[in-house]
Structure formats: C-alpha cells, structure tokens
C-alpha cells in the first residue's frame, strides 16, 4: 500500500487519465482513422470493475460460444 501522504491528489490523477486518454485517442485516430469512443466499433463492453473478474469471464465465454454456434 502507498502511504496516504505519498498518494497523488485526485485532481492530478484525473488530469493524468485525461492526458493518457487523449494520447490514445489520437493514436487510434491517426493509425486506424477511427474514434475509440464510437460504440459501433465494439462487439461487447463490460464494466469489469462492477461485474468482477469471474462474472466478466463468464460473460465473455458465453459471448464467444454464442458467436461460434451455427445459426439456424
């Protein structure tokens, strides 16, 4: 654990996240010509922080099985 007095302030962490997100977005735009925030680019989105690892894994496995099964 990081001692409380050594932890960065929340504002600084939010700014860091925004800077990193902007750089990643620029990279995706430059390389792929896409906006990473466009939901049509994703087949499945999960909030793993809310669902947890086990539930997220179960959902991913179910989605893969469904995608692999022949349709009638």
């Amino acid at each position: 654990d990081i001692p409380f007095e050594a932890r960065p302030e929340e504002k600084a962490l939010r700014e860091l996240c925004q800077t990193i997100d902007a750089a990643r977005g620029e990279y995706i735009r430059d390389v792929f010509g896409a906006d990473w925030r466009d939901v049509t680019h994703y087949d499945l989105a999960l909030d793993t922080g809310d669902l947890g690892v086990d539930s997220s894994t179960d959902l991913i496995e179910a989605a893969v099985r469904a995608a692999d099964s022949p349709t009638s």
Side-chain angles (χ1 to χ4, degrees), residues 23-34:
R24 288 179 177 162
E26 185 177 331
Y27 174 80
I28 298 296
R29 206 172 23 261
D30 290 347
V31 174
F32 301 105

Side-chain angles (χ1 to χ4, degrees), residues 3 8 11 28 39 60 64 69:
K11 181 181 177 189
I28 298 296
V39 298
I60 292 166
V64 169
S69 69

Side-chain angles (χ1 to χ4, degrees), residues 34-50:
D35 181 355
W36 69 270
R37 297 169 296 180
D38 182 351
V39 298
T40 63
H41 295 300
Y42 301 94
D43 294 317
L44 180 66
L46 303 173
D47 183 348
T48 56
D50 187 44

Side-chain angles (χ1 to χ4, degrees), residues 2 5 14 16-17 20 22 26 30 35 42 47 51 57-58 60 63 69:
I2 300 172
E5 61 276 358
R14 288 188 184 278
L16 176 62
C17 287
I20 291 169
E26 185 177 331
D30 290 347
D35 181 355
Y42 301 94
D47 183 348
L51 294 169
T57 303
D58 291 343
I60 292 166
S69 69

